[in-house]
Coordinates of all heavy atoms in Angstrom, one line a residue:
M242 N 0.8 -1.2 0.0 CA 0.0 0.0 0.0 C 0.9 1.3 0.0 O 0.5 2.2 -0.6 CB -1.0 0.0 1.2 CG -1.9 1.2 1.2 SD -3.1 1.3 2.6 CE -4.2 0.0 2.1
L243 N 2.0 1.2 0.7 CA 2.9 2.4 0.7 C 3.3 2.8 -0.6 O 3.3 4.0 -1.0 CB 4.1 2.1 1.6 CG 5.2 3.2 1.7 CD1 4.5 4.5 2.2 CD2 6.3 2.8 2.5
E244 N 3.7 1.8 -1.5 CA 4.2 2.2 -2.8 C 3.1 2.9 -3.6 O 3.3 3.9 -4.3 CB 4.7 1.0 -3.5 CG 5.9 0.3 -2.9 CD 7.1 1.3 -2.7 OE1 7.5 1.8 -3.7 OE2 7.6 1.4 -1.6
N245 N 1.9 2.4 -3.6 CA 0.8 2.9 -4.3 C 0.4 4.3 -3.8 O 0.2 5.2 -4.6 CB -0.5 2.1 -4.2 CG -0.3 0.7 -4.9 OD1 0.7 0.4 -5.4 ND2 -1.4 0.0 -4.9
L246 N 0.5 4.5 -2.5 CA 0.2 5.8 -1.9 C 1.3 6.8 -2.3 O 1.0 8.0 -2.6 CB 0.1 5.7 -0.4 CG -0.4 6.9 0.3 CD1 -1.7 7.4 -0.2 CD2 -0.6 6.7 1.8
K247 N 2.5 6.4 -2.3 CA 3.6 7.3 -2.7 C 3.4 7.7 -4.1 O 3.7 8.9 -4.5 CB 5.0 6.5 -2.5 CG 5.4 6.4 -1.1 CD 6.6 5.4 -0.9 CE 7.8 5.8 -1.6 NZ 9.0 4.9 -1.3
D248 N 3.0 6.8 -5.0 CA 2.7 7.2 -6.4 C 1.6 8.3 -6.4 O 1.7 9.3 -7.2 CB 2.2 6.0 -7.2 CG 2.0 6.3 -8.6 OD1 2.9 6.9 -9.3 OD2 1.0 5.9 -9.2
L249 N 0.5 8.1 -5.6 CA -0.5 9.1 -5.6 C 0.0 10.5 -5.1 O -0.3 11.5 -5.6 CB -1.7 8.6 -4.7 CG -2.6 7.6 -5.3 CD1 -3.6 7.1 -4.2 CD2 -3.3 8.1 -6.5
I250 N 0.8 10.4 -4.0 CA 1.4 11.6 -3.5 C 2.2 12.4 -4.5 O 2.0 13.6 -4.6 CB 2.3 11.3 -2.2 CG1 1.4 10.8 -1.1 CG2 3.2 12.5 -1.9 CD1 2.2 10.2 0.1
C251 N 2.9 11.7 -5.3 CA 3.8 12.4 -6.3 C 2.9 13.0 -7.4 O 3.4 13.9 -8.1 CB 4.8 11.4 -6.9 SG 6.1 11.0 -5.7
R252 N 1.7 12.6 -7.6 CA 0.8 13.2 -8.6 C 0.4 14.6 -8.1 O 0.0 15.4 -8.9 CB -0.4 12.3 -8.8 CG -0.1 11.0 -9.5 CD -1.4 10.3 -9.7 NE -1.2 8.9 -9.9 CZ -2.1 7.9 -9.9 NH1 -3.4 8.3 -9.8 NH2 -1.8 6.7 -10.1
Y253 N 0.4 14.8 -6.8 CA -0.1 16.0 -6.2 C 0.9 17.1 -5.8 O 0.6 18.3 -5.8 CB -1.1 15.7 -5.1 CG -2.4 15.2 -5.6 CD1 -2.6 13.9 -5.8 CD2 -3.4 16.1 -6.0 CE1 -3.8 13.4 -6.3 CE2 -4.6 15.6 -6.5 CZ -4.8 14.3 -6.7 OH -6.0 13.8 -7.2
V254 N 2.0 16.6 -5.4 CA 3.1 17.5 -4.9 C 4.4 17.1 -5.5 O 4.6 16.0 -5.9 CB 3.2 17.5 -3.3 CG1 1.9 18.1 -2.7 CG2 3.5 16.1 -2.8
D255 N 5.3 18.0 -5.5 CA 6.7 17.8 -6.0 C 7.5 17.2 -4.9 O 8.3 17.8 -4.2 CB 7.3 19.1 -6.5 CG 8.6 18.9 -7.2 OD1 8.8 17.8 -7.7 OD2 9.4 19.9 -7.2
A256 N 7.3 15.8 -4.8 CA 8.1 15.1 -3.7 C 8.9 14.0 -4.4 O 8.5 13.5 -5.4 CB 7.1 14.5 -2.7
D257 N 10.0 13.7 -3.8 CA 10.9 12.6 -4.3 C 10.3 11.3 -3.8 O 10.2 11.0 -2.6 CB 12.3 12.8 -3.8 CG 13.3 11.8 -4.4 OD1 12.8 10.7 -4.9 OD2 14.5 12.0 -4.3
F258 N 9.9 10.4 -4.8 CA 9.2 9.2 -4.5 C 10.1 8.4 -3.4 O 9.5 7.8 -2.5 CB 9.1 8.3 -5.8 CG 8.4 7.0 -5.6 CD1 7.0 6.9 -5.7 CD2 9.1 5.9 -5.3 CE1 6.4 5.7 -5.6 CE2 8.5 4.7 -5.1 CZ 7.1 4.6 -5.3
D259 N 11.4 8.3 -3.6 CA 12.2 7.5 -2.7 C 12.4 8.1 -1.4 O 12.9 7.5 -0.4 CB 13.6 7.3 -3.4 CG 13.5 6.5 -4.7 OD1 12.7 5.6 -4.7 OD2 14.2 6.8 -5.6
E260 N 12.1 9.4 -1.2 CA 12.2 10.1 0.1 C 11.0 10.0 0.9 O 11.0 10.3 2.1 CB 12.6 11.6 -0.1 CG 13.9 11.8 -0.8 CD 15.1 11.3 0.0 OE1 15.1 11.6 1.2 OE2 16.0 10.7 -0.5
I261 N 9.9 9.6 0.4 CA 8.6 9.5 1.1 C 8.6 8.2 2.0 O 8.9 7.1 1.5 CB 7.4 9.5 0.1 CG1 7.4 10.7 -0.7 CG2 6.1 9.3 0.9 CD1 6.4 10.6 -1.9
S262 N 8.3 8.4 3.3 CA 8.3 7.3 4.2 C 7.0 7.4 5.0 O 6.2 8.3 4.9 CB 9.5 7.3 5.1 OG 9.3 8.4 6.1
E263 N 6.8 6.4 5.8 CA 5.6 6.4 6.7 C 5.6 7.5 7.7 O 4.6 8.0 8.2 CB 5.4 5.1 7.4 CG 5.0 3.9 6.4 CD 4.6 2.7 7.1 OE1 4.3 2.7 8.3 OE2 4.5 1.6 6.4
D264 N 6.8 8.0 8.0 CA 7.0 9.2 8.9 C 6.8 10.5 8.2 O 6.7 11.6 8.9 CB 8.3 9.1 9.6 CG 8.5 7.9 10.5 OD1 7.4 7.5 11.1 OD2 9.6 7.4 10.6
S265 N 6.7 10.6 6.9 CA 6.6 11.8 6.2 C 5.2 12.5 6.6 O 4.2 11.9 6.5 CB 6.6 11.6 4.7 OG 7.8 11.1 4.3
R266 N 5.3 13.8 6.9 CA 4.1 14.6 7.3 C 3.6 15.3 6.0 O 4.4 15.8 5.2 CB 4.5 15.6 8.3 CG 4.9 14.9 9.6 CD 5.5 15.9 10.6 NE 6.7 16.5 10.0 CZ 7.4 17.5 10.5 NH1 7.1 18.0 11.7 NH2 8.5 18.0 9.9
F267 N 2.3 15.2 5.8 CA 1.7 15.7 4.6 C 2.0 17.2 4.4 O 2.5 17.6 3.3 CB 0.2 15.5 4.5 CG -0.1 14.0 4.3 CD1 -0.6 13.3 5.3 CD2 0.0 13.5 3.1 CE1 -0.9 11.9 5.1 CE2 -0.3 12.1 2.8 CZ -0.7 11.4 3.9
A268 N 1.7 18.0 5.3 CA 1.9 19.5 5.2 C 3.4 19.9 5.3 O 4.0 20.5 4.4 CB 1.1 20.3 6.2
E269 N 4.0 19.5 6.4 CA 5.4 20.0 6.7 C 6.4 19.4 5.8 O 7.4 20.1 5.4 CB 5.7 19.7 8.2 CG 4.8 20.4 9.2 CD 3.6 19.6 9.5 OE1 3.2 18.7 8.8 OE2 2.9 20.0 10.6
D270 N 6.4 18.1 5.5 CA 7.4 17.4 4.8 C 7.2 17.4 3.3 O 8.1 17.5 2.5 CB 7.7 16.0 5.3 CG 8.1 16.0 6.8 OD1 8.8 17.0 7.2 OD2 7.7 15.1 7.5
L271 N 5.9 17.2 2.9 CA 5.5 16.9 1.5 C 4.9 18.1 0.8 O 4.8 18.2 -0.4 CB 4.6 15.7 1.4 CG 5.1 14.4 2.0 CD1 4.1 13.4 2.0 CD2 6.4 14.0 1.2
G272 N 4.5 19.1 1.6 CA 4.0 20.4 1.0 C 2.5 20.3 0.5 O 2.1 21.2 -0.3
F273 N 1.8 19.4 1.1 CA 0.4 19.4 0.8 C -0.4 20.6 1.4 O -0.1 21.0 2.5 CB -0.3 18.1 1.4 CG -0.3 16.9 0.5 CD1 0.8 16.1 0.5 CD2 -1.3 16.7 -0.4 CE1 0.9 15.0 -0.4 CE2 -1.3 15.6 -1.2 CZ -0.2 14.7 -1.2
N274 N -1.3 21.1 0.6 CA -2.3 22.1 1.2 C -3.6 21.3 1.3 O -3.7 20.1 0.9 CB -2.5 23.3 0.3 CG -3.0 23.0 -1.1 OD1 -3.9 22.2 -1.3 ND2 -2.5 23.8 -2.1
S275 N -4.6 21.9 2.0 CA -5.8 21.1 2.3 C -6.5 20.7 1.0 O -7.1 19.6 0.9 CB -6.7 21.9 3.2 OG -7.1 23.1 2.6
Y276 N -6.5 21.5 0.0 CA -7.2 21.1 -1.3 C -6.5 19.9 -1.9 O -7.2 19.0 -2.3 CB -7.2 22.3 -2.3 CG -7.8 22.0 -3.6 CD1 -9.2 21.9 -3.7 CD2 -7.0 21.7 -4.7 CE1 -9.8 21.5 -5.0 CE2 -7.6 21.4 -5.9 CZ -8.9 21.3 -6.1 OH -9.5 21.0 -7.2
D277 N -5.2 19.9 -2.0 CA -4.5 18.8 -2.6 C -4.8 17.5 -1.8 O -5.0 16.4 -2.4 CB -3.0 19.0 -2.6 CG -2.5 20.1 -3.5 OD1 -3.2 20.4 -4.5 OD2 -1.5 20.7 -3.3
L278 N -4.8 17.6 -0.5 CA -5.0 16.4 0.3 C -6.4 15.9 0.1 O -6.6 14.7 -0.1 CB -4.8 16.8 1.8 CG -4.9 15.6 2.8 CD1 -3.9 14.5 2.4 CD2 -4.8 16.0 4.2
M279 N -7.4 16.7 0.0 CA -8.8 16.3 -0.2 C -8.9 15.6 -1.6 O -9.6 14.5 -1.8 CB -9.8 17.4 -0.2 CG -10.0 17.9 1.2 SD -10.7 16.7 2.3 CE -9.4 16.5 3.5
C280 N -8.3 16.2 -2.6 CA -8.3 15.6 -4.0 C -7.6 14.2 -3.9 O -8.1 13.2 -4.5 CB -7.6 16.5 -5.0 SG -8.5 18.0 -5.3
M281 N -6.5 14.1 -3.2 CA -5.7 12.8 -3.2 C -6.6 11.8 -2.5 O -6.6 10.6 -2.8 CB -4.4 13.0 -2.5 CG -3.5 11.7 -2.6 SD -2.1 11.7 -1.5 CE -2.9 11.5 0.1
L282 N -7.3 12.2 -1.4 CA -8.2 11.2 -0.7 C -9.2 10.7 -1.6 O -9.6 9.5 -1.5 CB -8.8 11.9 0.5 CG -7.8 12.2 1.7 CD1 -8.5 13.0 2.8 CD2 -7.1 11.0 2.2
G283 N -9.7 11.5 -2.5 CA -10.7 11.0 -3.5 C -10.1 9.9 -4.4 O -10.7 8.9 -4.7
D284 N -8.8 10.2 -4.8 CA -8.1 9.2 -5.6 C -7.8 7.9 -4.8 O -7.9 6.8 -5.3 CB -6.8 9.7 -6.1 CG -7.0 10.7 -7.3 OD1 -8.2 10.7 -7.9 OD2 -6.1 11.3 -7.7
C285 N -7.6 8.1 -3.5 CA -7.4 6.9 -2.6 C -8.6 6.0 -2.6 O -8.5 4.8 -2.6 CB -7.0 7.3 -1.2 SG -5.4 8.0 -1.0
E286 N -9.8 6.6 -2.6 CA -11.0 5.8 -2.6 C -11.1 4.9 -3.8 O -11.4 3.7 -3.7 CB -12.3 6.7 -2.5 CG -12.5 7.4 -1.2 CD -13.8 8.2 -1.2 OE1 -14.1 8.9 -2.2 OE2 -14.5 8.1 -0.2
D287 N -10.7 5.5 -4.9 CA -10.7 4.7 -6.2 C -9.6 3.6 -6.2 O -9.8 2.5 -6.5 CB -10.6 5.6 -7.4 CG -11.7 6.5 -7.6 OD1 -12.9 6.2 -7.1 OD2 -11.5 7.6 -8.2
E288 N -8.4 4.1 -5.8 CA -7.2 3.2 -5.8 C -7.3 2.0 -4.9 O -7.0 0.9 -5.3 CB -6.0 4.0 -5.5 CG -4.7 3.2 -5.4 CD -4.1 2.9 -6.8 OE1 -4.4 3.6 -7.8 OE2 -3.3 1.9 -6.9
F289 N -7.8 2.3 -3.7 CA -7.9 1.2 -2.7 C -9.3 0.6 -2.5 O -9.5 -0.2 -1.6 CB -7.3 1.7 -1.4 CG -5.9 2.2 -1.5 CD1 -5.6 3.6 -1.4 CD2 -4.9 1.4 -1.8 CE1 -4.3 4.0 -1.5 CE2 -3.6 1.8 -2.0 CZ -3.3 3.2 -1.8
D290 N -10.3 1.1 -3.2 CA -11.7 0.6 -3.2 C -12.2 0.7 -1.7 O -12.6 -0.3 -1.2 CB -11.8 -0.8 -3.7 CG -13.2 -1.2 -4.0 OD1 -14.0 -0.3 -4.3 OD2 -13.5 -2.4 -3.9
V291 N -12.1 1.9 -1.1 CA -12.6 2.1 0.2 C -13.5 3.4 0.2 O -13.4 4.2 -0.7 CB -11.4 2.3 1.2 CG1 -10.6 1.1 1.4 CG2 -10.5 3.5 0.8
E292 N -14.3 3.5 1.3 CA -15.1 4.7 1.5 C -14.3 5.5 2.6 O -14.0 4.9 3.7 CB -16.4 4.4 2.1 CG -17.5 3.9 1.1 CD -18.0 5.1 0.3 OE1 -18.3 6.2 0.8 OE2 -18.2 4.9 -0.9
I293 N -14.0 6.7 2.3 CA -13.2 7.5 3.2 C -14.0 8.6 3.9 O -14.7 9.3 3.1 CB -12.0 8.1 2.5 CG1 -11.0 7.0 2.1 CG2 -11.3 9.1 3.4 CD1 -9.8 7.5 1.3
D294 N -14.0 8.7 5.2 CA -14.6 9.9 5.9 C -13.5 11.0 5.8 O -12.5 10.9 6.4 CB -14.9 9.5 7.3 CG -15.5 10.7 8.1 OD1 -15.1 11.8 7.8 OD2 -16.3 10.4 9.0
E295 N -13.8 11.9 4.9 CA -12.7 12.9 4.6 C -12.3 13.7 5.8 O -11.1 14.0 5.9 CB -13.1 13.8 3.4 CG -13.2 13.1 2.1 CD -13.5 14.0 0.9 OE1 -13.8 15.2 1.1 OE2 -13.4 13.5 -0.2
S296 N -13.2 14.0 6.7 CA -12.8 14.8 7.8 C -11.9 14.0 8.8 O -11.0 14.5 9.3 CB -14.0 15.4 8.6 OG -14.8 14.3 9.1
E297 N -12.2 12.7 8.9 CA -11.4 11.8 9.7 C -10.0 11.6 9.0 O -9.0 11.7 9.7 CB -12.1 10.5 10.0 CG -11.3 9.6 10.9 CD -12.1 8.3 11.3 OE1 -13.3 8.3 11.1 OE2 -11.4 7.4 11.8
A298 N -10.0 11.3 7.8 CA -8.8 11.0 7.1 C -7.9 12.3 7.0 O -6.7 12.2 7.1 CB -9.1 10.5 5.6
A299 N -8.5 13.4 6.9 CA -7.8 14.7 6.8 C -7.0 15.0 8.2 O -6.1 15.8 8.2 CB -8.7 15.9 6.5
S300 N -7.5 14.4 9.2 CA -6.8 14.6 10.5 C -5.5 13.8 10.6 O -4.8 14.0 11.6 CB -7.8 14.2 11.7 OG -8.0 12.8 11.7
K301 N -5.3 12.9 9.7 CA -4.1 12.1 9.7 C -2.9 13.0 9.2 O -3.0 13.6 8.2 CB -4.2 10.9 8.8 CG -5.4 10.0 9.1 CD -5.6 9.6 10.5 CE -6.8 8.8 10.7 NZ -7.2 8.8 12.1
K302 N -1.9 13.0 10.0 CA -0.8 14.0 9.7 C 0.4 13.3 9.0 O 1.2 14.0 8.4 CB -0.2 14.6 11.0 CG -1.3 15.3 11.9 CD -1.8 16.5 11.1 CE -2.8 17.3 12.0 NZ -3.7 18.1 11.2
T303 N 0.5 12.0 9.0 CA 1.6 11.3 8.4 C 1.1 10.3 7.4 O 0.0 9.8 7.5 CB 2.6 10.6 9.4 OG1 1.9 9.5 10.0 CG2 3.1 11.6 10.5
V304 N 2.0 9.9 6.5 CA 1.7 8.9 5.5 C 1.3 7.6 6.3 O 0.3 6.9 5.9 CB 2.9 8.7 4.6 CG1 2.7 7.5 3.7 CG2 3.1 9.9 3.7
G305 N 2.1 7.2 7.3 CA 1.8 6.0 8.1 C 0.4 6.0 8.7 O -0.3 5.0 8.7
E306 N 0.0 7.2 9.3 CA -1.3 7.3 9.9 C -2.4 7.1 8.8 O -3.4 6.4 9.1 CB -1.5 8.6 10.5 CG -0.7 8.8 11.8 CD -0.8 10.2 12.4 OE1 -1.5 11.1 11.8 OE2 -0.2 10.5 13.4
L307 N -2.2 7.6 7.6 CA -3.2 7.4 6.6 C -3.2 6.0 6.1 O -4.3 5.4 5.9 CB -2.9 8.3 5.4 CG -3.9 8.3 4.2 CD1 -5.4 8.6 4.7 CD2 -3.5 9.2 3.1
I308 N -2.1 5.3 6.0 CA -2.0 3.9 5.6 C -2.8 3.1 6.7 O -3.6 2.2 6.3 CB -0.6 3.4 5.5 CG1 0.0 4.0 4.2 CG2 -0.5 1.9 5.5 CD1 1.5 3.7 4.1
E309 N -2.6 3.3 7.9 CA -3.3 2.6 9.0 C -4.8 2.8 8.9 O -5.6 1.9 9.0 CB -2.8 3.1 10.4 CG -3.3 2.3 11.5 CD -2.7 2.7 12.8 OE1 -1.4 2.8 12.9 OE2 -3.4 3.0 13.8
Y310 N -5.2 4.1 8.6 CA -6.6 4.4 8.5 C -7.2 3.6 7.3 O -8.2 3.0 7.3 CB -6.8 5.9 8.3 CG -8.2 6.2 7.9 CD1 -9.2 6.2 8.9 CD2 -8.6 6.6 6.6 CE1 -10.6 6.6 8.6 CE2 -9.9 6.9 6.3 CZ -10.9 6.9 7.3 OH -12.2 7.2 6.9
L311 N -6.5 3.7 6.1 CA -7.0 3.0 4.9 C -7.1 1.5 5.1 O -8.0 0.9 4.6 CB -6.1 3.4 3.7 CG -6.1 4.8 3.2 CD1 -5.0 5.0 2.2 CD2 -7.5 5.2 2.7
G312 N -6.1 0.9 5.8 CA -6.1 -0.5 6.0 C -7.2 -0.9 6.9 O -7.7 -2.0 6.7
G313 N -7.7 -0.1 7.7 CA -8.9 -0.4 8.6 C -10.2 -0.3 7.8 O -11.3 -0.6 8.3
Q314 N -10.2 0.3 6.6 CA -11.4 0.5 5.9 C -11.7 -0.7 5.0 O -12.8 -0.8 4.5 CB -11.2 1.7 4.9 CG -11.0 3.0 5.7 CD -12.0 3.3 6.7 OE1 -13.2 3.4 6.5 NE2 -11.6 3.4 8.0
N315 N -10.8 -1.7 4.9 CA -11.1 -2.8 4.0 C -11.9 -3.9 4.8 O -11.8 -4.1 5.9 CB -9.8 -3.4 3.5 CG -9.1 -2.5 2.5 OD1 -9.8 -1.8 1.8 ND2 -7.8 -2.6 2.4

């Protein structure tokens, strides 16, 4: 799931694929703004075939927290 999520992240922000880790923070490390994050969450729904509560998912600050949330949606 991490590799797929890293691919999605790189579609929205100018981040180095190999530098993204579970500890990467969306805003501080990757440069996401709230609009980019909401758009990416929509793509996550399609990519991982899950229903996302956007307000809950938006509270996730790191890539790892989002992976944990998405994993619990299956």
Side-chain angles (χ1 to χ4, degrees):
M242 183 180 283
L243 176 59
E244 298 300 307
N245 292 5
L246 188 55
K247 287 167 61 171
D248 184 51
L249 285 174
I250 288 168
C251 289
R252 292 182 202 172
Y253 286 93
V254 294
D255 186 25
D257 183 342
F258 184 91
D259 295 324
E260 297 294 317
I261 300 170
S262 72
E263 290 190 14
D264 294 327
S265 297
R266 298 170 296 176
F267 288 106
E269 296 88 344
D270 300 326
L271 301 173
F273 271 86
N274 62 38
S275 58
Y276 177 76
D277 290 334
L278 186 59
M279 289 298 113
C280 291
M281 188 192 72
L282 291 175
D284 284 347
C285 284
E286 287 183 319
D287 296 335
E288 177 76 23
F289 302 113
D290 194 31
V291 295
E292 282 283 322
I293 294 177
D294 178 327
E295 290 184 354
S296 62
E297 186 174 343
S300 71
K301 308 308 179 199
K302 302 296 182 203
T303 67
V304 172
E306 288 175 358
L307 183 58
I308 289 172
E309 188 175 310
Y310 172 77
L311 292 171
Q314 300 306 302
N315 290 331

